[in-house]
């Protein structure tokens, strides 16, 4: 039997295209979702952006993770801002259509957590 949105983990869900018209998550809603993510994820002060910084020794692992981000973004139809270079990857998530965070941002982050655990 399929799990409902309330009982399934975020990583089991799929991002749903957002075309606006829905409110961004409140701080309380975002913090509830934060509890389901790896502890390295951060919310900005205005609860409009979810971000994470990764450190590596070298360039190859950063490139591999950036490529994994690209693959996951394509699979989910949800596209983060990614920067990377020697020894680091930074990812920032927001739902531009609504000017803040949506559940899709947390679904994407949870999927990445599962893939990199």
């Amino acid at each position: 039997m399929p799990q409902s949105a309330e009982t399934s983990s975020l990583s089991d869900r799929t991002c749903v295209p957002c075309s606006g018209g829905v409110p961004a998550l409140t701080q309380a809603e975002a913090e509830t979702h934060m509890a389901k993510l790896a502890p390295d994820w951060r919310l900005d002060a205005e609860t409009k952006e979810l971000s994470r910084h990764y450190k590596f020794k070298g360039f190859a692992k950063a490139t591999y993770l950036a490529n994994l981000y690209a693959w996951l973004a394509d699979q989910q139809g949800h596209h983060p801002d990614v920067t990377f270079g020697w020894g680091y990857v930074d990812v920032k998530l927001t739902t531009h259509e609504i000017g803040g965070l949506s559940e899709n941002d947390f679904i994407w982050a949870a999927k990445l957590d599962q893939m990199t655990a």
Side-chain angles (χ1 to χ4, degrees):
M1 173 162 68
Q3 294 180 325
S4 72
E6 290 78 29
T7 60
S8 67
S9 73
L10 286 171
S11 63
D12 292 336
R13 299 177 60 203
T14 301
C15 292
V16 177
C18 178
S19 56
V22 296
L25 296 177
T26 65
Q27 183 173 358
E29 291 167 329
E31 287 175 0
T32 296
H33 287 310
M34 285 294 290
K36 300 172 189 172
L37 299 178
D40 294 331
W41 288 99
R42 300 288 177 250
L43 281 176
D44 71 339
E46 297 173 349
T47 317
K48 291 184 183 257
E49 185 177 270
L50 179 63
S51 64
R52 188 166 178 186
H53 176 78
Y54 294 85
K55 289 183 182 181
F56 299 101
K57 292 182 180 179
F59 186 71
K61 288 183 181 180
T63 303
Y64 300 151
L65 185 58
N67 285 329
L68 179 61
Y69 281 165
W71 178 85
L72 183 59
D74 189 51
Q75 292 295 311
Q76 292 296 306
H78 194 67
H79 303 97
D81 293 329
V82 179
T83 56
F84 72 100
W86 194 98
Y88 77 94
V89 175
D90 289 319
V91 61
K92 295 179 182 179
L93 292 155
T94 191
T95 301
H96 299 284
E97 290 288 331
I98 62 173
L101 292 168
S102 72
E103 194 167 61
N104 286 338
D105 298 303
F106 290 92
I107 290 169
W108 195 94
K111 286 184 175 295
L112 185 63
D113 284 349
Q114 184 179 47
M115 296 172 86
T116 58

